[in-house]
Amino acid sequence: MIIPLMPIVAIHQEPVLNNQQKVTLAEDDKQVFPEPPADITKRNPASPAGKLTLAEYTSTTVGTTRKLNIYTPPGYTKDKKYPVLYLLHGIGGDETEWQRFATVDVLADNLIQAGKLRDVIIVMPNGRAQKNDKAEGNVFAAAPSFAVFEKDLLIDVIPFIEKTYSVLPGRENRAIAGLSMGGGQTLNFGFGNADKFGAIGAFSSAPNTMDAVKLIPDPDATRKRQTYIYLSCGSKDSLFGISRKTHVYLADKKITHHWNVDSHAHDPTHWRNNLYWFLQGAFKPAAPR
Ligand code: FER
């Protein structure tokens, strides 16, 4: 059992955890996706630029107007329909965090240019569903509002996106992913609403992650539904045990998934590297005719 230490710094960034902790790796705790090239977040001059839009929606759940950051791919047009990824931040973050950690627009533009990623809309909401949703003060105190966000996502965010943008319907065109608290939200909401999400990517999931038996009470149904499942954690992350427990359950129930253990900690390098691989797996470009 790994007990995470309280943060040293917790304002506008993820908590600095005790990443020095020794993790004993099991045989299947392996890096299955290699380190991406160092330049994944440097703009390839040949890549046309997508667009980032800071939008607002009415949250009936919270009773306020809330912000979200939306990436639309280069050449976005109402004449086409696009799959969507809902991408969730950590306990110290907000709707700007993923962009700050991973320059999501550049990363996606480059992958699309390289023919490794479909045109996809990436929605980065604020997962702290409470009236003051800023990452300020003791960010741990807001942990319960990350659970409330399930309702906000399902009844406010997704309908807002689907009426504002040109979106492909169905679970096979809707993915959810996140880092740390957002990883826990991803597993809880993704498995809990399996009819809505066809791909799940959880990076360095936090202690808000529900027990695997509660997440997946009917392994046969989960296996048959064919969800693209991607779990990752750095071997230097003190929250390692949480992701591993989820992986061990999935493996035991023979539910196909990726489990990527790299050598990073609870840090943006781990998150951007694993977003890079998750995007390519969840939104593979169509095979050429
Ligand atoms: C905890 C340790 C870490 C916790 C949450 C986190 C709610 C989240 C970390 C992050 O989002 O980076 O004990 O409890």
Side-chain angles (χ1 to χ4, degrees), residues 138-172:
N138 171 14
V139 293
F140 284 84
S145 70
F146 282 74
V148 178
F149 183 68
E150 178 169 13
K151 196 170 158 214
D152 193 60
L153 177 66
L154 295 178
I155 73 171
D156 297 312
V157 173
I158 293 177
F160 168 77
I161 293 298
E162 296 193 348
K163 78 167 189 272
T164 312
Y165 290 89
S166 191
V167 167
L168 285 166
R171 75 186 290 278
E172 65 276 21

Side-chain angles (χ1 to χ4, degrees), residues 5-11 13-20 137 139-140:
L5 293 191
M6 288 306 280
I8 300 161
V9 178
I11 295 178
Q13 64 181 62
E14 291 321 295
V16 176
L17 303 172
N18 173 17
N19 286 323
Q20 306 315 311
V139 293
F140 284 84

